[in-house]
Amino acid sequence: MLDKTYRPADVEAKHYEAWETSGAFAAHAESNARPYTIMMPPPNVTGSLHMGHALTFTLQDILIRYHRMRGDDALWQPGTDHAGIATQMVVERNLAAEGKTRHDLGRAAFIDKVWQWKAESGGTITRQLRRLGASPDWERERFTMDEGLSEAVAKVFVTLHRQKLIYRDKRLVNWDPKLHTAISDLEVESREVKGHLWHFKYPLENQPDRFITVATTRPETMLGDTAIAVHPEDERYRDLIGGFAVLPLVGRRIRIVGDEYADPETGSGAVKITPAHDFNDFEVGRRHGLEMINVLDRDARIIDDAIIPEAYRGLDRYEARKRIVADLEEQGLVEKIEPHTHMLPHGDRSGMVIEPWLTDQWYCDAVTLAQPAIKAVEEGRTVFVPKQWENTYFEWMRNIQPWCISRQIWWGHQIPAWYGPDGAVFVEETEEAARAAAAAHYGAETELTRDPDVLDTWFSSALWPFSTLGWPNQTKELERYYPGDVLVTGFDIIFFWVARMMMMGLHFMGDVPFRHVYIHALVRDERGQKMSKSKGNVIDPLNLIDEYGCDALRFTLAAMAAQGRDIKLAVGRVEGYRNFATKLWNAARYCQMNECLPQPGFDPGSAGQTVNRWIVGEVAKTSARAAEAIEAYRFNDAANALYQFTWGTFCDWYLEFTKPILNGDDAAAKAETRATTAWVLDEILHLLHPFMPFITEELWEQIGSDRASGLIRAAWPEFGPEMENAAAQAEMDWVVRLVSAIRTVRNEMNVPAGAQIPLLLKDASAETVRRLDTHRDIILRMARLSSAETTGDPAPKGAVQAVLDEATVVLPLAGVIDIDQEKARLTKEIDKLSGEVAKIDQKLNNANFVSRAPEEVIEEQRDRRAAAESAKQKLAEALARLTSAE
């Protein structure tokens, strides 16, 4: 017999270990089954499970478990990313605790330290994924720095370089002055800061009494100004275009150029152009052939160079800012200083303000590689779900810039480029090949120096869909599992990862890497705010698993994963779905206690009892509904269908309907009902397994002692149309609707729970009369009625009415409730809700509120309004029924 209480902690580790050791997660490349592939977005090796992980890996696991049950050869390819900067920082912090730096060790010894750290501590995230119930093929786990993946990276780099699609260039990058490396846009965090807007007057050449005013938030960069831009159509400055101004403090002539980047409506309409320290200015500089003067070093200090006035050389950027402003004020060149709140880029790991910095870097020609990737989505070879994310993809891809792929750190794939003594570069897959190329070039063995930079982490991640399958070798896995069926990921890396996998997959494999891209929403707190440590609203999924069980968390995330809508996660929702698990457990105990045990060979289609034919048809419909929703990535619809069937149809209705049979004297009906009940419970376990794997596996094991294999290896229930019986469905649905209508009236009218009230069915058809006679005992018990009869007479005074098909449900409540008192109560409730709706409308119609409030706050107000309006409508209908009762 099942224990009275389900204890997740007692069963989760047990079942997971059994699944993994038995090979239940394994794909079978030699199989004849249809392959189904999901590439796991590789979490950082430094990572630990957060709520975003919990969502994306839960959804992937639902898909992979479902497709295994459908008989597909399902490969969920796992692995982790080496996370260049993040991992290097972890190891450097450990060294700092010992009073050392990576430079004390040297590159080779430091890399050894990183590998040592990875071996000891790098498996945290994969252990936590196991706690979530994730079932990838762990035997195939890969790491982006594995030998095979490193070989793929080198081959791709060399191939693209020979195709002129990788090259060296001097361009602006996001430079982190603390980490001393370029970083990607994804690693830049914009923060709102309170600063100033300085308005400086630049003298015009040969017109010492005339000035042109520019505004800046970064006075220190003026040392690198090489132009002033004005709009070509701006009448104020048209005569100055082509002339020169004099750069204050420096004395250098700078051109005045006409460019549409300058906005006549903003500030003075004139913009200082510093091509080496601003991304927009860089483009203006390229358009006009401007000199690009770098005034900062790698530490964001003013360079020690003759082009810089001596007073500022070597100063930190902020110290230089103070001195420059003071010197300009002394010269009378500061027109005004305004308080100014603006967004400033910070390194998400270092916390330092990022500088646009002009450096020599390696670039990939993303513009060329993007064209086939754009076309593939346009033609529907890869489909985004929800579809509107295609617009985001197209916007980024059609405006793509050269991709900076080099990083100035040590941990990562070192760029396969070697330099000769004269600077000649030899790009080869191995050092031996580079030496051979150099010898052929110079005519003799020549000493080479390897490029010290490593590749952007996203470069190796872009190869993930095929490098993990053995490419560049032509493996059977590569032939079978590429392209994948779906990628499940967040919208924030559509450009950084999804787009780059598309580009590389099409270029090297000749086909898209996945047929569908399912973009899931963000998990926010219950108020709709983004979770962050600074706000103190982070919810740890592992804590929720400890408290409520893994299945409760998984089901919560699936049930709330509506396409295109962020998840507002309240702990109470997880507790609610823990109660759902408890309901399922208790239902299974009830079945055991009533000897409803699985019967080998039982044919549900042979059931003769109406209630049994009905529930069998409901199982078939629910299975089809859930399957359709899963395959359309409508996880919430699938979860809600299963929840409603399990808790509502099975527990609340069927088990109640069949109590009289199980307690009766009809042996045949009792045996059939026991077999049907056990069969339905088994099917529920099948259907819920992808969502709630642990409790379903435990019940499967305990209920059927002679099971041939675990539930994880069972087939997804599929049924033909013969399983649905229209007559049985219509009859039992009528009973459900009648009892529900009576319960609604009782609830709305505050009828005491213990009060037994009469039911009159007015103008009932012969079929309705038959149904009432057949199911009278059930209806009396479940609706708490004293009697249930049919009538053709008018409804008595004080009776509340509701329509059910052709008949009218009449409930005489005079003497049971005070009708006048209930009318007053309902009127008061309606007025209260009307006031709440009016208050919300006032807010939403306030342009000032709408313009300033965060989107999640506005959405919360709309949700509250919709809920209040719905409740008001129901109360109004109840009031109308009471009024008509008089």
Side-chain angles (χ1 to χ4, degrees), residues 213-283:
T213 300
V214 299
T216 182
T217 58
R218 302 163 69 216
E220 65 278 8
T221 65
M222 68 170 291
L223 300 173
D225 288 358
T226 56
I228 294 173
V230 297
H231 196 279
E233 304 301 322
D234 194 331
E235 293 291 343
R236 295 170 294 176
Y237 305 117
R238 186 179 287 181
D239 65 311
L240 300 180
I241 295 174
F244 292 86
V246 178
L247 181 61
L249 306 180
V250 179
R252 187 171 66 247
R253 298 165 76 233
I254 59 175
R255 285 168 53 196
I256 299 173
V257 299
D259 195 282
E260 292 183 354
Y261 169 62
D263 183 0
E265 305 298 322
T266 302
S268 67
V271 186
K272 63 186 281 299
I273 302 299
T274 321
H277 294 285
D278 182 276
F279 288 101
N280 290 315
D281 292 6
F282 178 81
E283 296 302 327

Side-chain angles (χ1 to χ4, degrees), residues 559-840:
M560 299 183 75
Q563 289 184 12
R565 184 158 187 169
D566 286 347
I567 293 173
K568 295 179 183 177
L569 183 64
V571 173
R573 291 295 295 266
V574 185
E575 184 178 8
Y577 287 117
R578 188 273 311 273
N579 296 342
F580 175 53
T582 300
K583 185 81 170 179
L584 176 63
W585 186 265
N586 290 340
R589 286 191 84 242
Y590 170 88
C591 292
Q592 274 192 330
M593 292 164 64
N594 285 277
E595 301 177 51
C596 302
L597 303 174
Q599 300 297 314
F602 172 68
D603 177 12
S606 66
Q609 296 290 316
T610 300
V611 68
N612 292 333
R613 293 201 306 272
W614 166 70
I615 197 65
V616 167
E618 290 298 302
V619 168
K621 285 197 298 184
T622 302
S623 173
R625 194 176 297 135
E628 180 186 7
I630 292 171
E631 292 182 8
Y633 311 109
R634 292 185 282 104
F635 298 97
N636 61 314
D637 289 343
N640 291 332
L642 296 173
Y643 179 92
Q644 289 163 14
F645 174 76
T646 303
W647 191 307
T649 307
F650 180 65
C651 294
D652 287 354
W653 295 108
Y654 177 74
L655 295 184
E656 291 298 323
F657 287 162
T658 54
K659 280 180 179 177
I661 300 175
L662 296 178
N663 294 326
D665 298 324
D666 187 333
K670 189 182 295 187
E672 178 192 294
T673 300
R674 282 173 171 164
T676 303
T677 304
W679 176 83
V680 174
L681 179 60
D682 264 5
E683 299 312 295
I684 287 173
L685 298 182
H686 282 77
L687 296 172
L688 281 174
H689 180 74
F691 297 82
M692 307 176 82
F694 292 110
I695 189 172
T696 53
E697 189 72 83
E698 179 69 11
L699 289 173
W700 178 262
E701 181 181 279
Q702 291 213 37
I703 289 171
S705 56
D706 57 347
R707 309 282 198 191
S709 62
L711 181 59
I712 193 172
R713 298 181 186 276
W716 178 266
E718 294 185 74
F719 306 102
E722 69 280 359
M723 295 293 279
E724 296 185 38
N725 186 293
Q729 179 180 332
E731 182 164 326
M732 298 313 300
D733 281 354
W734 178 85
V735 176
V736 169
R737 289 186 293 121
L738 175 60
V739 173
S740 298
I742 297 167
R743 287 174 172 177
T744 297
V745 170
R746 293 183 65 115
N747 183 56
E748 289 176 348
M749 306 303 169
N750 265 351
V751 175
Q756 299 275 315
I757 60 175
L759 163 68
L760 296 172
L761 272 182
K762 184 175 176 292
D763 302 329
S765 67
E767 178 62 15
T768 296
V769 173
R770 186 194 67 78
R771 289 171 176 173
L772 180 62
D773 290 341
T774 303
H775 302 286
R776 181 175 279 104
D777 290 344
I778 290 173
I779 294 167
L780 291 175
R781 178 169 55 85
M782 297 186 72
R784 286 167 290 170
L785 301 174
S786 58
S787 61
E789 304 298 336
T790 58
T791 183
D793 297 332
K797 188 175 181 181
V800 175
Q801 302 177 50
V803 175
L804 184 69
D805 299 337
E806 87 294 343
T808 301
V809 177
V810 180
L811 298 170
L813 297 181
V816 180
I817 62 171
D818 185 324
I819 291 180
D820 288 336
Q821 183 179 318
E822 284 305 308
K823 283 175 63 179
R825 179 185 67 83
L826 290 171
T827 301
K828 186 177 178 180
E829 289 286 335
I830 291 168
D831 290 344
K832 182 181 175 183
L833 289 167
S834 295
E836 187 176 337
V837 169
K839 277 185 182 177
I840 296 171

Side-chain angles (χ1 to χ4, degrees), residues 14-37:
K14 173 190 76 172
H15 285 303
Y16 196 91
E17 183 180 3
W19 291 332
E20 187 173 359
T21 55
S22 70
F25 304 158
H28 302 282
E30 68 286 351
S31 159
N32 291 323
R34 187 187 82 90
Y36 179 85
T37 311

